[in-house]
Amino acid sequence: MRRRAPLRRPALARTAPFLSALAATALLLTACGTEHAGTGNTGAGTAESPSPVQVDDPGKDGVRITSLTLPSTSPPTSPSPPTSPSPTRSYSVSADSLDPGADSGIMATYEVTNKGTETLTYWVVFTFMSGDGAAVAAQSATVRDVGPGKTVRGRVQVGELPPAAPRVTQAKVLEVTKVPASEAPADPGTCPASGIRVSADKGDAAMGLRVVGLHLDNCGTRDYTVEGYPLLELLDSDLKPVDGIKILDGSNEISTGAGPDNQPRPVTLSPGESAIASLVWRNTTESGTPVNAPYVRVRAKAGADPVTVTPHLDLGTTGKLGVRPWEKAER
């Protein structure tokens, strides 16, 4: 059975956290109007107190770096940057490797300007690079509730770097994702007023088959029941509806490689319980123009508040997306 599930967006919604940064820690910034935020972890690993240098950064989607603070001297263990470009070489820092008492002394200040007409929440990934342009580290920031015409300022700090990492000399805005603030994700460990938290995982890809899980958590105090399939609206990079894609009940028409489709049935979640549904598609590209839908607006069921997640659907020219029904997740 095939269906289209058009949605009308209400004034208030919640969505679950998205964004996985390339590196270690994430800076969380909640702000309205113009505001400044710090990151901590300052000064422990530098030989001298560095001064910020102004950066002429055109930025991306209203986000730009305004200054970059670098150590006055290179760490003794850092090799000299190679003289020829090495675009494939990169370094990253895991959260487990960070020493909260150590600091590379590298910090960028940034500003987010909302040039739109509605309040937005932003997720930003910043990349810090060596002189030859190779990525050395990345950090992410969540900037909430930026009103129309407003600017929010903050900073991201690299923290500790591996001893073999080359010296950072530049930084840029790598990626910007933004959604209406009324549909923005709840912070980790928090619960929306609805008592229901929706999120999308990072997914799995093999031989062109893509599977992304939608997660529904009852973080409230009452039972919550869903039945059947989540209702979806596919959105482009401007948060406009994507047309021409068939949203299918089940995934068998896409592939049997994701496992059999179970029949939809009522699922009642007690507080603390979760359910999962899956999006299944192929990114095959043949004749025609490939379709990408970076955003998906989700309703857990009819009448539920919409939640915008960012699975970045690369649908190729297949023209269809399979949706598997809600099932209770194992604890």
Side-chain angles (χ1 to χ4, degrees):
M1 177 174 64
R2 297 182 176 179
R3 65 187 177 94
R4 294 291 302 275
L7 300 177
R8 293 190 298 271
R9 194 179 82 205
L12 180 62
R14 295 287 194 267
T15 168
F18 136 81
L19 182 55
S20 169
L22 302 178
T25 56
L27 167 69
L28 175 63
L29 171 64
T30 304
C32 279
T34 300
E35 205 167 293
H36 300 266
T39 60
N41 271 2
T42 57
T46 58
E48 302 176 24
S49 296
S51 299
V53 177
Q54 295 300 117
V55 175
D56 184 15
D57 175 27
K60 179 181 292 187
D61 293 338
V63 183
R64 71 183 188 96
I65 295 173
T66 55
S67 70
L68 180 63
T69 300
L70 300 172
S72 298
T73 57
S74 298
T77 55
S78 296
S80 300
T83 56
S84 59
S86 302
T88 59
R89 183 169 57 87
S90 64
Y91 298 80
S92 62
V93 186
S94 69
D96 292 339
S97 72
L98 290 178
D99 177 359
D103 179 21
S104 63
I106 302 168
M107 182 182 70
T109 61
Y110 64 87
E111 63 181 25
V112 179
T113 301
N114 181 358
K115 299 179 181 179
T117 58
E118 62 181 325
T119 301
L120 299 174
T121 286
Y122 293 74
W123 296 273
V124 187
V125 179
F126 302 89
T127 182
F128 296 82
M129 301 169 292
S130 61
D132 63 359
V136 179
Q139 292 285 10
S140 66
T142 301
V143 187
R144 292 189 174 275
D145 301 331
V146 184
K150 301 296 184 180
T151 295
V152 171
R153 297 182 176 89
R155 63 179 183 172
V156 286
Q157 200 163 351
V158 171
E160 184 185 21
L161 288 173
R167 187 181 184 188
V168 170
T169 62
Q170 53 187 322
K172 70 176 183 179
V173 178
L174 182 65
E175 180 180 312
V176 177
T177 304
K178 54 189 177 183
V179 301
S182 61
E183 300 177 11
D187 295 332
T190 67
C191 188
S194 65
I196 299 300
R197 185 170 50 228
V198 177
S199 62
D201 59 33
K202 296 179 183 179
D204 188 21
M207 299 299 289
L209 180 65
R210 309 284 203 254
V211 180
V212 165
L214 297 178
H215 300 265
L216 176 64
D217 304 317
N218 184 353
C219 55
T221 58
R222 299 179 180 179
D223 289 353
Y224 189 82
T225 299
V226 289
E227 181 176 2
Y229 304 89
L231 306 178
L232 309 179
E233 185 180 12
L234 309 187
L235 305 174
D236 63 17
S237 57
D238 295 321
L239 297 170
K240 304 297 184 183
V242 173
D243 296 323
I245 302 299
K246 297 177 181 178
I247 299 178
L248 310 174
D249 288 345
S251 62
N252 285 338
E253 190 173 331
I254 307 293
S255 173
T256 59
D261 287 333
N262 294 324
Q263 291 298 314
R265 58 185 180 83
V267 176
T268 298
L269 303 176
S270 299
E273 292 186 324
S274 301
I276 185 170
S278 296
L279 309 181
V280 183
W281 75 98
R282 289 192 178 276
N283 71 332
T284 306
T285 300
E286 296 178 350
S287 61
T289 302
V291 175
N292 294 305
Y295 300 92
V296 178
R297 185 173 285 129
V298 181
R299 287 183 190 269
K301 62 181 180 180
D305 290 340
V307 172
T308 298
V309 295
T310 54
H312 296 279
L313 306 180
D314 54 342
L315 298 167
T317 56
T318 62
K320 52 190 177 182
L321 172 70
V323 185
R324 306 179 76 176
W326 291 115
E327 297 180 5
K328 185 172 288 190
E330 297 183 3
R331 292 196 179 210

